[in-house]
Amino acid sequence: MTSVVSLTGASTTDPIVHHHPSSASTAASGAPTGLTVQPGVVMDAASHSHDHSHSHAHHGAAACSLHSPSSLQRPLVSLNVPVAQLIQDYDPTKPQELFHILQYLVKMGSYQLFHEIVVEFDSKYSSSQANSGSSNSKLYDLLQIRDDHGHSLLHWAAKRSDEVQFVEYLAEQLLSSGKGKSLKHAAAAVEQDKDSSVKDPLHPSLWIDTETGMTPLHWACTEPNNLKIVQILLHATAASKASSSTPSTSTTSISPWLDARDATGCTPLLMAAQQGHVEVCALLLQRGAHFGATDSSKDSATHWAAYKGSLPVLGLLCYYEQVKTRGGNSNDMDFNSSNSMLCAPDAYGQTPLHLAALRGHASVCRYIIQRVVGTSSNAGAISTSKTAAATSKRRRRQAARELLGLKDKNGRTPLELAVHKNQHAVATVMRKQMAWLGVVNQTNDNSSHVGVSSKTAKLNTMRHRLVKTMRATLFSLLRLNTWKRWLGLPTSNGSDNDVGDDYDVSWVDDEAPQFPFYYVKAQVVFNLVFYFYVLCPLLDPGAGVLWDYMGLQIVTLVLYAITFYTLYKTHTTNPGRLTAADDATTQYWRKMYEQTLEGCATTDDGSQQSATNHMNNLCHTCHIVKPPRSKHDRYTHACVLLFDHHCPFVGNTVGLYNYKWFYLFLVSFTVYCTFLLILLGIYCHRQAHLPLTILLIGLYLGLHGLVTAGMWIYHTQLTIMNLTTNEHINLQRYEYFWSSREAESGVSLAGAGRKFHNPWNKGWLANFLDRWEPTKNCYMLHSRTAPQLGLSSLEMQNLLGSFDQHDLRRTGALDNHVV
């Protein structure tokens, strides 16, 4: 067969060296005869890596790192001869030659060219096949050929998220038209194993590659943005299985590939958890994947999510453990550490907390501990019995203490493991959680035992803790990282730790900096002292020179009082956190979360973009559908209604219910500083000699108003447009602000692009009233407004919150909107 393929273009190389037979050199050498590769093109750009180690905690090897084919610049594959001539020159005795050409097209070519070849091949041999009366398709025989490593065309197609047509075509040809036929590559296995399940053409053992034991579904689960391909494979295998089953078992529609294991014992769910693909994990779990499946190292999906630091995947798995594996019971009172994956050790004696600690994932460590204790925002419904609640609380706290004190096979607790790996941020979180739970930290003692402290131990260690805290505070004030952390700046993780682990308080990226708020509180006190000591000296009336301006002074004092009150309200008011499990609003969005997971999992013919976009609206740590204009706040660890921003200067997140107080704080503080500067000017003018010290202190205090004045102007503009700070900064991310000009005009306009449209803009006066009296209308949409945005039905349901009226009345979401 003559040379027919040429490649042009460029491709990026994989920065990670993988142990794979299709490396750059072997791929080039294994190309069809006469295949030309332009210099600089690496054929391995679309190859798959299987070299992932599961003994991660002891060998230091990370899980497999895979790269999406769509993220690489693929070479252009073209034929040197017409397709008809290619098929005319085909030698039936050498099908591998044509197979290699199709394989390279599936790896990095276009579906159009691939489809032209197979259609021409099928049209040539279908007539002769029909005349001979043969029931076997030569096209099927060609498409099911494997390469030297057992990789089929369907394996490579499972990685082509940029060309979904490959999987659609191959799944139809191999999984549908091929049912009932024995695969040639598995003939020997069938002869050796007479079990009827192995003879099933969809049995995973007939579709694994000989190198890693992976099915095409395994490969699909390693790729990002690959939800549609996973849906196709699950649907094709389940439908084919059901159609070929006996009448008594035809109702079963679970894919036989769902819990297939590779050479290391990994199921597709474990693969998706390793890569942090939460949408794929949700789809597999909804289709019936075994939640507690473990690999050869007894690592579950929960272990892998903790190890990789994927908080969304970990939250999703906790949701399924809480609800799905307990008969649909959403009440978290029946938590038992003996059957929870969060507390289960692997073959090395390490729990998910150990794995998160050694990898330095402080947020994951905090989430696991709070999840076990039951204080996370999605811990479940509140029990109606106070006695049961108290018993559950004691049991949970005991389970958390035991988890913190559990040692792996090397004799290390999670805290000791974090210290050993120099993960100072994790150690900081661990120590705080241990102090909160009343656990004695004996990590640096001769005995590394960590246990529950008694009352006597607490009294004996109180003096030691006090001295230790004072010394740690003194040393931290002398460190550059501490000041960077207070100002919200990134820090080097322990690089300047010259005082020992006991005094290291390293940066934790989900803890809000405290210094700005302390600074603001100090300024409030300094302003009060300065005012009554200099401008209005009540203790020494004779020193006062502004008694004739009492009206101005009273106004200034009133403004100061308003500033103090609005700061207090901004700091203490709940911005709209969706954390209360018994709240009607939270129940509403949590019910929508459950329905969304079920809807996306049962939709096989929906577009990948629509399904993925709607899955992106889910918060898997709070277990809710994120309401429009909301966001998960990493500092408060909860989703916030109408999220504006987290302001460290007021010590709180600004959201739906405290935005008006934040805005009034900016206004009052700006006006107060203006009056303060006016009084300062009059005071200095009346002095015989310029009081330079008083002038500098007064300017220092008064010029803070320039900062709040700028923010006042900025937030006034946002309020007039009915935008939040988060929306203004990330305007391009939110599709509900953009409508296509083509959809708006009804006429196809080439290059029309998108047009900005704010569906919540009701005019400047109504926008101000919305912020002053917040309701659900501040983030929900009217049914007549949503269709103008050109959104899908799923996205529109999210924006409208259009539940069944019975569900809305039952949850009270129509009337009760207070968090």
Side-chain angles (χ1 to χ4, degrees):
M1 189 171 179
T2 60
S3 169
V4 292
V5 181
S6 64
L7 279 76
T8 59
S11 172
T12 59
T13 60
D14 192 339
I16 300 178
V17 179
H18 300 300
H19 175 67
H20 192 281
S22 300
S23 60
S25 58
T26 57
S29 61
T33 305
L35 182 67
T36 59
V37 181
Q38 187 171 344
V41 176
V42 178
M43 296 296 296
D44 193 39
S47 68
H48 179 71
S49 166
H50 310 298
D51 186 24
H52 55 275
S53 172
H54 298 278
S55 55
H56 41 67
H58 303 277
H59 299 287
C64 57
S65 179
L66 309 173
H67 300 269
S68 171
S70 59
S71 64
L72 302 174
Q73 182 181 356
R74 293 187 172 278
L76 300 177
V77 183
S78 60
L79 291 175
N80 291 333
V81 297
V83 174
Q85 182 179 344
L86 169 66
I87 303 302
Q88 185 68 29
D89 297 339
Y90 171 70
D91 184 359
T93 63
K94 300 179 180 179
Q96 287 287 347
E97 294 185 1
L98 182 57
F99 168 77
H100 279 312
I101 294 175
L102 295 178
Q103 185 181 40
Y104 275 88
L105 288 174
V106 174
K107 283 185 178 181
M108 56 192 71
S110 66
Y111 173 76
Q112 181 179 1
L113 181 56
F114 171 86
H115 190 256
E116 291 178 5
I117 295 176
V118 295
V119 168
E120 182 69 22
F121 180 89
D122 190 38
S123 62
K124 177 180 178 180
Y125 290 97
S126 60
S127 58
S128 59
Q129 173 184 322
N131 295 332
S132 63
S134 174
S135 60
N136 292 327
S137 169
K138 288 187 176 296
L139 177 62
Y140 173 82
D141 294 337
L142 174 65
L143 296 180
Q144 60 85 37
I145 295 177
R146 306 293 183 94
D147 60 17
D148 296 338
H149 307 289
H151 302 151
S152 67
L153 295 179
L154 191 58
H155 279 85
W156 291 108
K159 295 176 68 64
R160 291 297 302 271
S161 58
D162 57 330
E163 293 275 2
V164 183
Q165 298 93 326
F166 280 115
V167 167
E168 291 177 335
Y169 178 82
L170 292 172
E172 179 182 358
Q173 294 296 323
L174 297 176
L175 303 181
S176 298
S177 64
K179 61 178 179 285
K181 302 176 182 179
S182 298
L183 300 179
K184 291 182 178 180
H185 81 282
V190 173
E191 289 296 327
Q192 295 176 4
D193 193 342
K194 301 301 182 180
D195 185 13
S196 60
S197 64
V198 179
K199 296 179 181 179
D200 183 357
L202 295 176
H203 194 274
S205 63
L206 303 182
W207 285 95
I208 62 175
D209 58 52
T210 58
E211 185 180 32
T212 62
M214 290 185 176
T215 65
L217 183 59
H218 284 90
W219 284 40
C221 291
T222 62
E223 292 297 317
N225 304 319
N226 218 17
L227 185 63
K228 181 60 177 177
I229 289 181
V230 175
Q231 286 178 326
I232 294 173
L233 292 175
L234 289 175
H235 177 67
T237 54
S240 299
K241 178 70 176 178
S243 62
S244 61
S245 301
T246 60
S248 60
T249 60
S250 60
T251 57
T252 302
S253 60
I254 297 179
S255 169
W257 293 4
L258 195 59
D259 288 322
R261 296 180 181 273
D262 66 0
T264 60
C266 277
T267 64
L269 176 62
L270 293 177
M271 283 290 182
Q274 289 175 17
Q275 304 304 316
H277 301 156
V278 64
E279 295 86 1
V280 175
C281 288
L283 176 62
L284 295 173
L285 288 169
Q286 283 295 133
R287 291 298 180 88
H290 181 36
F291 171 82
T294 59
D295 58 18
S296 57
S297 298
K298 295 186 179 180
D299 287 315
S300 66
T302 305
H303 287 83
W304 277 110
Y307 177 75
K308 299 303 289 288
S310 179
L311 199 55
V313 174
L314 185 61
L316 176 71
L317 295 171
C318 289
Y319 165 77
Y320 275 93
E321 182 178 28
Q322 173 184 322
V323 179
K324 298 301 180 181
T325 63
R326 299 178 185 176
N329 179 20
S330 62
N331 193 338
D332 215 27
M333 290 297 178
D334 59 346
F335 177 86
N336 189 347
S337 61
S338 62
N339 58 15
S340 173
M341 298 306 298
L342 290 175
C343 303
D346 60 9
Y348 303 97
Q350 295 182 334
T351 64
L353 185 60
H354 285 85
L355 301 180
L358 70 90
R359 291 284 290 179
H361 303 307
S363 300
V364 175
C365 291
R366 180 188 291 106
Y367 179 83
I368 292 175
I369 297 172
Q370 293 182 351
R371 183 76 195 179
V372 173
V373 175
T375 58
S376 60
S377 60
N378 52 350
I382 296 177
S383 175
T384 56
S385 173
K386 294 183 179 180
T387 304
T391 303
S392 175
K393 181 179 180 180
R394 288 193 298 269
R395 184 173 66 248
R396 282 179 161 277
R397 292 176 70 90
Q398 178 63 25
R401 296 187 186 105
E402 294 174 353
L403 179 61
L404 287 167
L406 186 64
K407 296 181 180 181
D408 61 12
K409 287 191 174 181
N410 289 334
R412 292 192 176 100
T413 64
L415 174 58
E416 293 168 341
L417 200 57
V419 173
H420 176 70
K421 294 292 184 178
N422 294 322
Q423 303 292 356
H424 302 300
V426 173
T428 299
V429 171
M430 290 285 191
R431 292 188 179 105
K432 289 181 179 179
Q433 296 296 322
M434 290 169 65
W436 173 58
L437 291 170
V439 180
V440 176
N441 175 19
Q442 298 178 350
T443 303
N444 295 327
D445 296 342
N446 294 331
S447 172
S448 60
H449 173 73
V450 178
V452 181
S453 62
S454 62
K455 294 183 179 179
T456 303
K458 291 182 179 180
L459 293 175
N460 292 336
T461 58
M462 185 178 300
R463 179 181 301 178
H464 173 70
R465 290 182 180 179
L466 179 61
V467 174
K468 183 177 177 180
T469 301
M470 293 177 63
R471 292 181 61 186
T473 303
L474 177 61
F475 279 110
S476 64
L477 289 174
L478 301 177
R479 298 175 58 203
L480 179 61
N481 268 2
T482 301
W483 293 92
K484 286 184 177 181
R485 183 170 59 253
W486 283 350
L487 295 174
L489 301 176
T491 62
S492 55
N493 191 10
S495 62
D496 61 341
N497 179 19
D498 53 356
V499 295
D501 290 328
D502 281 346
Y503 310 116
D504 179 73
V505 188
S506 296
W507 172 258
V508 182
D509 59 1
D510 62 349
E511 290 186 355
Q514 300 296 319
F515 176 76
F517 184 56
Y518 294 149
Y519 180 82
V520 171
K521 291 196 295 185
Q523 296 309 305
V524 172
V525 176
F526 290 161
N527 272 273
L528 188 64
V529 172
F530 178 81
Y531 188 85
F532 285 108
Y533 183 78
V534 177
L535 301 181
C536 186
L538 297 179
L539 299 179
D540 188 10
V545 296
L546 298 176
W547 298 116
D548 54 333
Y549 282 89
M550 284 303 298
L552 186 59
Q553 292 203 35
I554 292 174
V555 172
T556 306
L557 286 174
V558 171
L559 289 171
Y560 175 86
I562 295 176
T563 300
F564 179 83
Y565 178 74
T566 54
L567 175 63
Y568 169 79
K569 293 293 291 185
T570 305
H571 176 70
T572 58
T573 301
N574 187 339
R577 290 186 291 270
L578 296 172
T579 55
D582 60 338
D583 179 73
T585 305
T586 306
Q587 288 183 3
Y588 169 71
W589 296 108
R590 189 160 294 172
K591 181 178 177 63
M592 202 169 184
Y593 174 85
E594 299 172 1
Q595 294 188 355
T596 302
L597 288 178
E598 295 173 358
C600 290
T602 56
T603 301
D604 296 304
D605 54 354
S607 66
Q608 178 183 7
Q609 188 65 31
S610 175
T612 303
N613 286 344
H614 199 54
M615 290 289 285
N616 289 337
N617 293 329
L618 303 183
C619 179
H620 297 288
T621 53
C622 295
H623 299 166
I624 62 171
V625 170
K626 289 184 289 187
R629 314 188 76 181
S630 68
K631 184 179 179 181
H632 186 85
D633 181 23
R634 64 174 181 174
Y635 296 120
T636 57
H637 315 295
C639 289
V640 177
L641 292 171
L642 201 66
F643 176 86
D644 192 272
H645 70 291
H646 181 85
C647 182
F649 292 96
V650 299
N652 196 6
T653 298
V654 179
L656 177 65
Y657 297 115
N658 67 344
Y659 183 86
K660 64 179 180 181
W661 298 115
F662 175 75
Y663 185 86
L664 290 176
F665 168 71
L666 297 179
V667 175
S668 60
F669 188 75
T670 301
V671 179
Y672 162 76
C673 289
T674 302
F675 278 76
L676 180 68
L677 291 175
I678 292 174
L679 290 175
L680 178 65
I682 298 174
Y683 176 86
C684 293
H685 178 71
R686 291 187 172 185
Q687 299 297 318
H689 301 284
L690 181 64
L692 184 59
T693 302
I694 293 178
L695 177 62
L696 293 178
I697 295 176
L699 289 175
Y700 163 74
L701 296 175
L703 291 180
H704 283 85
L706 293 178
V707 178
T708 55
M711 295 185 65
W712 177 18
I713 295 173
Y714 173 69
H715 281 275
T716 300
Q717 294 174 335
L718 292 179
T719 303
I720 290 176
M721 297 183 294
N722 206 334
L723 289 175
T724 65
T725 303
N726 175 60
E727 291 170 340
H728 183 248
I729 295 176
N730 305 297
L731 198 60
Q732 299 295 331
R733 293 185 184 179
Y734 300 106
E735 293 297 328
Y736 47 71
F737 285 126
W738 302 93
S739 59
S740 63
R741 298 177 185 271
E742 177 179 344
E744 183 177 317
S745 60
V747 181
S748 178
L749 301 175
R754 301 190 304 171
K755 179 181 179 182
F756 175 78
H757 171 69
N758 185 359
W760 287 280
N761 189 357
K762 309 169 186 176
W764 69 269
L765 181 58
N767 292 340
F768 267 98
L769 293 177
D770 269 356
R771 291 304 182 93
W772 190 259
E773 292 293 336
T775 64
K776 68 166 186 175
N777 295 325
C778 297
Y779 57 91
M780 303 295 278
L781 283 178
H782 195 274
S783 58
R784 293 191 299 270
T785 307
Q788 301 174 5
L789 305 179
L791 301 175
S792 66
S793 58
L794 284 175
E795 295 165 335
M796 191 182 303
Q797 182 187 15
N798 185 6
L799 289 175
L800 292 174
S802 55
F803 261 91
D804 181 76
Q805 292 297 318
H806 171 72
D807 295 332
L808 288 175
R809 293 191 186 97
R810 184 179 62 82
T811 60
L814 287 174
D815 305 316
N816 186 5
H817 307 289
V818 180
V819 176

